[in-house]
Amino acid sequence: METKVKIIERVEQGKKMAGVAHSYNMNSSIIDTILKNKDKIMEHVKSAVPMMSTIISKKRGKVMEEMQKLLNVWTQDQHQSRVPLSLMLIQENTKSLYEDLKKNHSKESVGASFNASHGWFHQFKARANIHNVKVSGEVANADTVAAQEFPETLQEIIDESAYLPE
């Protein structure tokens, strides 16, 4: 947006469109489009946050950072062990981790509370790039008996129907 404003200002000062396009290494058609949308661009710039403003981000405490690192390692370990994860299981583990770390870092965490809400969990999932978690709260129980019996059942179907094993 800042570049577009500068382009508009230079053209309004009387500079030729071709010269402005050349100085910004753009085609004249792009400059023409910017000028056609001048009102929209200027309106957006006036209503937007100042271009040089800083980005405000939330600083997490050492306890939270360490807890999220440990939780990330734990979820990866559970995933590799093929243990089904649920929101409730992760929340319980998170609260336990947080309380243990809070005891170890008592100076930084005075008065700090943490409840592992759904909102926190969705943000954590995004930060940790976790995809395979049941949010319904019920652990996904695999039917291991059916899984063990299936190869035999499949072989019977193949034999009875005269299918090729492929």
Side-chain angles (χ1 to χ4, degrees), residues 54-153:
T54 57
I55 296 172
I56 299 171
S57 62
K58 186 174 182 179
K59 178 78 172 120
R60 291 179 183 81
K62 290 182 181 179
V63 175
M64 282 293 286
E65 285 181 16
E66 192 172 339
M67 184 264 309
Q68 290 187 9
K69 285 179 187 175
L70 291 171
L71 186 63
N72 197 7
V73 169
W74 178 78
T75 55
Q76 288 176 358
D77 183 51
Q78 297 300 306
H79 180 70
Q80 286 183 351
S81 301
R82 302 215 186 279
V83 174
L85 293 175
S86 70
L87 171 63
M88 201 157 78
L89 180 65
I90 291 175
Q91 284 176 323
E92 288 173 11
N93 194 12
T94 302
K95 289 176 188 177
S96 174
L97 270 172
Y98 184 78
E99 291 304 319
D100 290 345
L101 290 170
K102 191 174 169 183
K103 290 174 188 170
N104 295 341
H105 296 85
S106 58
K107 293 177 185 175
E108 295 111 24
S109 61
V110 174
S113 64
F114 176 69
N115 62 0
S117 66
H118 286 277
W120 169 84
F121 175 71
H122 289 292
Q123 292 295 322
F124 173 73
K125 265 179 54 172
R127 284 192 298 272
N129 201 20
I130 299 173
H131 301 288
N132 300 328
V133 175
K134 282 196 143 204
V135 181
S136 64
E138 296 180 13
V139 178
N141 292 326
D143 189 352
T144 55
V145 175
Q148 289 174 346
E149 293 173 357
F150 181 73
E152 294 172 19
T153 306

Side-chain angles (χ1 to χ4, degrees), residues 150-160 165:
F150 181 73
E152 294 172 19
T153 306
L154 179 61
Q155 189 61 47
E156 289 173 13
I157 293 170
I158 290 171
D159 292 341
E160 288 174 7

